[in-house]
Amino acid sequence: MSSTQSLHSLAFRVMRLCRPTFHVETPLQFDPCDVVVGEDLFDGDSSSDAHRHLLRSQFASGDSSSSDLTYRNRFVLSDDSDAMGLPGLLVLPQSFGAIYLGETFCSYISINNSSNFDVRDIIIKSEIQTERQRIMLVDTSKTPVESIRAGGRYDFIVEHDVKELGAHTLVCTALYYDNDTERKYLPQYFKFMVANPLSVKTKVRVVQETTFLETCLENNTKSNLFMDQVEFEPAPRWSATILKADVHHSEKDGHTREIFKPPILIRAGGGIYNYLYSLKMSSAPTKVEGSNVLGKLQITWRTNLGEPGRLQTQQIIGNPFTRKEIDLKAVKVPSVIILERPFLVHLSLTNLTGKKLGPFRVWLALSDSKEEKTVVISGLQRMDLPAVEAFESLEFQLNLVCAKLGVQKITGITVYDTMEKNTHDPLPDLDIFVDSDL
Amino acid sequence: MSLSNPDAQTTNVDDQNLDSIKLYNDLCYDLSSLQELACRGAWRSILDKVSQARSRSLLSKPHEHLIYLSYNAIALTKLRRFNEAVAELDLVEKGLDIYRYETYPHHYPNRHGSMAPFVLRWLHAELPSRLGKRQETLDRFYVLLQFIKEKLSNNLGDESRKVWKKREALVINSIISHHLSHREFGVCLELMKELISRESTDRPVARAILMSKLGYIQMQFGDLEGARGSFGVIEGIVNEEKGESIEMMKNLVNRNKALMFMVEKDYASAVREYQECIDRDGSDVVAINNKALCLMYMRDLSDSIKVMENALERIPTIALKETFVVNLCSMYELAYVNHSDIKKTLSSWIARVAPDDFDTSCTRI
């Protein structure tokens, strides 16, 4: 609320009108049984009729009739839950507060005529100015306000969905005739900053056929944020399901579950909450390769009395999509493997494309780590495979041997296409258990 | 009748009142005057009275000292003299175990138990938060809750059990209020669950009020569906009930409906609900306050001010609450360029009418 300018009859008074809040305050109200008698008075046989009368009379005195001219209601507890200090009284916003992207800025604007004369023909304009644009909220140019009498008021309420970050200015102007014949111009400026309430970080992981999207929401505001809805809108060709932790059986209470939706609360000043979605391709992969748009997040949060805020993220990109040409699988691995005794692993290679591929060469690639491989090919270190027709499979066997006991990994079985001259991704690690001979 | 103040504004003295006065004075020396002063909000007078009673050795029995001490501690807390209140409660800090009837057999033959009023324990828990030590208060309240639960696990008589159950509810409510003021809604919901499950079905009004507060909490953090559900339970209770309790609950139902309208920004419907409340009960200050706010959100600042001022004039002792004044002053600041004049007028009126514990900082002068 800015100060008046003494030359003007008119002045703007502005008050941010976000929703009111419930007043909460631990009251200093007491039950007479807790004040005028010892706490154990009602134990055992020492209770007398008089004391029980006291009990009953204090219950009866719970009504506050208008003929009761005392401030009894500030001292005596009438209902048990009065002690909660939540009478249901609403309070007007007491300060401007912080404004965040995605909220709706709402303000009461009152133009006061504090002079002794009427003012006439008032053209009122109110707009929001940001770095990028000016948005007109109110403009009475076409139908000017006829007059505001001395001591009178003209009020309006403006609303604006905040979609930009940074400095904003609410500009209020009035063009009017006062007692002099010249036209007066009153501009007033109210500045505020808009900050980003949430940071969204995403991680994409692909496990076998499913893409998992992990999103982390971080609360940058000064108050706790309650997430009303966080929905992932998948791009075409994708479908998404949200994954939630199972509820412990002791928390499943049929009666209260309808009423108590556990709030998803993200703490002020850096609290986080994670969401996990599993995404599946809903239709067969096309020939398009390259960057992979998964979709975007629509986030709705609420603050007091349901005041909503809404944001959506930019498109979330998944891992670049490359079509697999071949599928390499382990078909059979022996259940008993003895130390230093060769064993056969049966594998199959499937040609996923529509044209003949190969011939191929198979070997066990050297590992990246400095550790020596414990499982190696027994015999020739390279195997040659013939070409495979379109959509056909070829089965082959590798003769392997392991030099170490216990749980070991078969890693790095790699297939190389000798025609196309490209190396395919190796077979994912296989775990085996190597037993001793004894 | 031993009322110390001849111009006391008491209601008509009927038999029940006479009984109450005698009952109070039998319990403790001149207790009815203390209670009278407390109900009039004359806390400074209470401090004087206690001080006099002490200096002139007017109290003969140990329990009387404790009761006077309780009023003193309450008065100091009400007057926001928190450090002095803490000093007064030093004996709670040291342990209330010695204040038992058995310790003074010549005063209390054949009596057993603690003679300390329960309010001492409650104040001892509450005061640290008033001095900025919120965690200390929460710790003490949880310990107090445990103390009460242990007491309830003993074999108590019916009256005694009733009283201690009430105290248990009181402490749970106090704990909720502290978590609420810090917007720790998850904890509040858990505690509300407990309170609601304890509430017996033969107390429909109490249950309805509790469900309303659950609704308010849910609205505070934005769970509108939950709030709607909670309010719906109350309508169910009202439909089943008959008799006097219905009237009180009708206003509750209207107020809850009004809140749901407000959430949807349908302020006109909210005003209509609140008006029904006021027509039914002209002293429903929650309805009056909230109606005024709705008028403001409907761009009718002038009428909102009128509603507030009218209430202060018509029902001053009920409407004169700090929150009410805060709202009215916010309206003044918006409505008047030179609002300090009108606020000063309000302030002088408050000074004449308000009780000692009224927090005048709410006028923001």
Side-chain angles (χ1 to χ4, degrees):
Chain A
M1 322 231 194
S2 77
S3 55
T4 52
Q5 304 185 36
S6 48
L7 296 170
H8 282 279
S9 318
L10 293 183
F12 284 98
R13 308 288 298 160
V14 169
M15 180 170 145
R16 182 171 172 203
L17 264 195
C18 45
R19 277 160 222 237
T21 48
F22 282 112
H23 175 68
V24 180
E25 187 183 353
T26 314
L28 292 172
Q29 286 172 319
F30 309 102
D31 182 330
C33 291
D34 292 343
V35 180
V36 304
V37 292
E39 59 187 355
D40 285 341
L41 192 71
F42 303 93
D43 290 0
D45 304 322
S46 47
S47 286
S48 63
D49 280 338
H51 301 134
R52 279 188 217 112
H53 167 82
L54 180 63
L55 255 183
R56 263 181 263 123
S57 71
Q58 101 36 58
F59 284 135
S61 63
D63 59 298
S64 60
S65 54
S66 51
S67 60
D68 181 5
L69 295 172
T70 70
Y71 286 110
R72 181 195 189 84
N73 58 69
R74 289 174 74 93
F75 175 54
V76 176
L77 202 63
S78 58
D79 181 88
D80 287 355
S81 69
D82 284 349
M84 203 188 300
L86 185 61
L89 268 175
L90 292 169
V91 188
L92 286 168
Q94 289 304 297
S95 64
F96 195 80
I99 300 208
Y100 295 102
L101 191 67
E103 293 184 329
T104 304
F105 169 70
C106 179
S107 179
Y108 197 110
I109 303 178
S110 179
I111 304 166
N112 288 341
N113 179 0
S114 54
S115 73
N116 296 323
F117 311 101
D118 294 357
V119 301
R120 301 170 317 282
D121 275 333
I122 309 116
I123 293 180
I124 301 159
K125 288 194 194 170
S126 177
E127 66 175 22
I128 297 262
Q129 284 178 11
T130 66
E131 264 173 72
R132 285 198 283 150
Q133 55 182 328
R134 300 158 73 115
I135 302 145
M136 186 62 74
L137 302 171
V138 165
D139 185 353
T140 66
S141 308
K142 298 222 171 86
T143 50
V145 178
E146 268 188 44
S147 75
I148 302 177
R149 61 173 175 78
R153 232 191 326 271
Y154 181 79
D155 295 347
F156 54 100
I157 293 180
V158 296
E159 275 193 19
H160 167 69
D161 289 337
V162 177
K163 295 201 171 95
E164 274 180 67
L165 288 169
H168 284 59
T169 310
L170 173 67
V171 181
C172 297
T173 61
L175 195 58
Y176 63 100
Y177 287 112
D178 65 2
N179 215 35
D180 312 331
T181 47
E182 54 175 281
R183 205 108 162 94
K184 292 257 172 67
Y185 175 70
L186 168 71
Q188 269 182 267
Y189 307 94
F190 308 92
K191 291 187 197 290
F192 58 94
M193 292 292 290
V194 173
N196 208 338
L198 292 170
S199 310
V200 182
K201 299 191 183 74
T202 58
K203 256 191 223 158
V204 179
R205 285 181 230 267
V206 181
V207 176
Q208 301 193 338
E209 315 268 296
T210 317
T211 303
F212 291 99
L213 171 66
E214 192 186 304
T215 63
C216 174
L217 263 57
E218 184 179 327
N219 177 0
N220 300 323
T221 73
K222 295 196 188 78
S223 47
N224 299 335
L225 280 185
F226 299 94
M227 309 316 289
D228 190 4
Q229 272 161 18
V230 177
E231 270 164 14
F232 184 73
E233 275 180 8
R237 297 187 303 126
W238 286 100
S239 68
T241 14
I242 189 165
L243 298 176
K244 288 190 184 156
D246 290 336
V247 177
H248 191 268
H249 63 82
S250 69
E251 287 177 3
K252 283 195 184 136
D253 180 344
H255 165 67
T256 50
R257 199 168 28 149
E258 292 110 54
I259 304 169
F260 293 97
K261 172 172 109 173
I264 296 180
L265 138 69
I266 310 187
R267 277 192 205 285
I272 62 166
Y273 195 87
N274 294 308
Y275 292 85
L276 186 61
Y277 301 90
S278 97
L279 308 175
K280 286 205 158 73
M281 281 283 228
S282 49
S283 56
T286 64
K287 295 200 173 92
V288 177
E289 292 197 14
S291 89
N292 189 18
V293 167
L294 296 173
K296 52 182 190 257
L297 270 175
Q298 296 273 21
I299 303 168
T300 312
W301 68 89
R302 288 193 184 269
T303 51
N304 69 275
L305 254 66
E307 184 110 58
R310 280 178 202 85
L311 280 181
Q312 73 185 31
T313 63
Q314 297 185 318
Q315 298 286 17
I316 297 168
I317 313 288
N319 297 331
F321 180 64
T322 49
R323 244 175 62 238
K324 270 177 38 163
E325 291 188 326
I326 64 155
D327 186 26
L328 183 65
K329 274 205 290 271
V331 174
K332 191 161 145 219
V333 178
S335 47
V336 175
I337 297 172
I338 306 294
L339 181 73
E340 289 170 356
R341 204 179 285 179
F343 60 97
L344 275 179
V345 171
H346 297 246
L347 299 148
S348 89
L349 189 152
T350 309
N351 180 356
L352 297 171
T353 73
K355 62 178 178 57
K356 183 158 133 178
L357 285 178
F360 299 100
R361 192 165 289 167
V362 182
W363 63 76
L364 224 59
L366 292 170
S367 61
D368 290 336
S369 70
K370 303 257 168 76
E371 283 176 24
E372 262 190 48
K373 267 191 164 355
T374 53
V375 180
V376 293
I377 294 183
S378 169
L380 286 178
Q381 294 299 294
R382 247 173 39 194
M383 171 177 281
D384 287 324
L385 297 174
V388 180
E389 295 291 339
F391 303 119
E392 294 281 308
S393 285
L394 171 71
E395 298 221 341
F396 63 101
Q397 294 150 17
L398 278 183
N399 205 18
L400 303 175
V401 69
C402 185
K404 233 174 151 182
L405 284 171
V407 176
Q408 303 297 332
K409 281 189 195 308
I410 304 174
T411 72
I413 297 180
T414 309
V415 171
Y416 172 73
D417 187 327
T418 56
M419 283 297 276
E420 304 277 330
K421 301 223 188 304
N422 67 314
T423 312
H424 291 277
D425 288 338
L427 184 75
D429 293 354
L430 292 169
D431 284 330
I432 55 166
F433 185 76
V434 182
D435 226 336
S436 73
D437 204 354
L438 309 160
Chain B
M1 232 166 48
S2 55
L3 294 172
S4 54
N5 191 335
D7 354 17
Q9 287 177 14
T10 45
T11 51
N12 294 331
V13 178
D14 56 21
D15 283 340
Q16 195 184 49
N17 255 16
L18 273 172
D19 276 347
S20 281
I21 289 167
K22 182 176 186 312
L23 179 65
Y24 273 58
N25 289 340
D26 284 348
L27 280 172
C28 172
Y29 174 77
D30 212 10
L31 182 56
S32 63
S33 321
L34 274 179
Q35 183 70 357
E36 162 81 34
L37 288 171
C39 286
R40 286 200 286 119
W43 298 102
R44 284 192 269 268
S45 309
I46 287 183
L47 290 179
D48 289 340
K49 199 171 165 64
V50 173
S51 162
Q52 261 186 37
R54 285 169 172 175
S55 60
R56 293 209 241 144
S57 302
L58 297 174
L59 308 173
S60 46
K61 295 197 168 197
H63 78 277
E64 295 181 326
H65 283 281
L66 284 173
I67 292 172
Y68 270 64
L69 191 146
S70 301
Y71 275 89
N72 216 44
I74 295 172
L76 287 167
T77 309
K78 288 243 178 213
L79 293 169
R80 290 173 293 285
R81 288 157 63 168
F82 302 122
N83 284 307
E84 291 171 70
V86 169
E88 194 75 357
L89 291 177
D90 197 37
L91 52 71
V92 181
E93 193 66 36
K94 295 204 176 87
L96 289 171
D97 297 334
I98 52 167
Y99 299 102
R100 299 181 70 84
Y101 296 118
E102 306 91 279
T103 322
Y104 305 90
H106 47 289
H107 280 297
Y108 312 105
N110 299 322
R111 286 261 283 263
H112 302 279
S114 162
M115 66 171 85
F118 180 76
V119 70
L120 292 177
R121 295 190 195 269
W122 188 90
L123 274 174
H124 177 251
E126 171 64 23
L127 275 166
S129 70
R130 309 266 168 160
L131 289 164
K133 290 187 249 171
R134 178 186 174 252
Q135 195 53 51
E136 178 75 35
T137 280
L138 276 174
D139 289 345
R140 287 185 183 185
F141 269 125
Y142 278 107
V143 167
L144 183 56
L145 188 59
Q146 192 55 37
F147 169 80
I148 299 171
K149 283 191 199 283
E150 276 165 16
K151 214 124 174 110
L152 284 168
S153 66
N154 294 336
N155 204 4
L156 298 174
D158 283 342
E159 293 292 348
S160 179
R161 181 163 292 277
K162 240 199 249 176
V163 167
W164 282 105
K165 270 274 172 205
K166 217 168 191 294
R167 288 168 183 164
E168 189 186 17
L170 167 67
V171 172
I172 294 175
N173 273 291
S174 304
I175 292 173
I176 293 176
S177 84
H178 281 283
H179 284 301
L180 258 185
S181 50
H182 270 69
R183 303 175 69 81
E184 292 162 347
F185 297 119
V187 177
C188 291
L189 279 191
E190 287 302 312
L191 291 168
M192 285 298 282
K193 258 193 228 179
E194 198 185 318
L195 274 183
I196 288 167
S197 64
R198 290 160 98 255
E199 198 47 72
S200 62
T201 46
D202 54 308
R203 298 219 302 165
V205 175
R207 253 192 321 143
I209 294 174
L210 206 53
M211 289 306 293
S212 290
K213 300 205 174 173
L214 173 61
Y216 304 158
I217 295 176
Q218 286 165 315
M219 286 182 113
Q220 268 292 60
F221 67 77
D223 182 3
L224 303 178
E225 276 315 301
R228 201 185 310 264
S230 303
F231 292 153
V233 172
I234 296 163
E235 295 205 33
I237 298 172
V238 171
N239 289 336
E240 285 173 22
E241 281 305 308
K242 322 247 174 279
E244 285 174 24
S245 51
I246 273 266
E247 290 306 304
M248 256 182 83
M249 295 217 277
K250 278 185 182 163
N251 268 29
L252 191 62
V253 168
N254 282 108
R255 289 202 302 265
N256 294 344
K257 279 202 186 124
L259 284 171
M260 292 310 295
F261 282 127
M262 279 188 81
V263 154
E264 286 152 34
K265 295 174 109 162
D266 181 359
Y267 298 111
S269 300
V271 166
R272 204 187 53 228
E273 296 289 335
Y274 284 129
Q275 193 53 53
E276 240 185 84
C277 294
I278 297 165
D279 292 340
R280 195 183 288 126
D281 173 9
S283 64
D284 186 342
V285 71
V286 173
I288 295 170
N289 175 82
N290 293 0
K291 174 189 165 190
L293 259 69
C294 286
L295 288 170
M296 233 194 98
Y297 281 74
M298 287 165 71
R299 206 171 57 95
D300 196 351
L301 182 58
S302 309
D303 275 343
S304 64
I305 291 177
K306 281 203 194 103
V307 167
M308 303 287 275
E309 288 177 337
N310 176 268
L312 285 175
E313 222 177 304
R314 193 172 50 83
I315 42 166
T317 58
I318 303 171
L320 188 53
K321 294 186 195 306
E322 285 83 344
T323 310
F324 203 84
V325 172
V326 162
N327 281 332
L328 181 53
C329 288
S330 296
M331 293 173 187
Y332 283 156
E333 284 163 18
L334 183 57
Y336 299 102
V337 171
N338 301 313
H339 48 75
S340 47
D341 289 339
I342 195 163
K343 289 211 284 187
K344 283 210 187 84
T345 311
L346 176 64
S347 208
S348 334
W349 177 83
I350 290 175
R352 288 198 313 272
V353 175
D356 291 350
D357 59 317
F358 191 86
D359 188 354
T360 51
S361 68
C362 62
T363 55
R364 281 199 301 262
I365 288 183

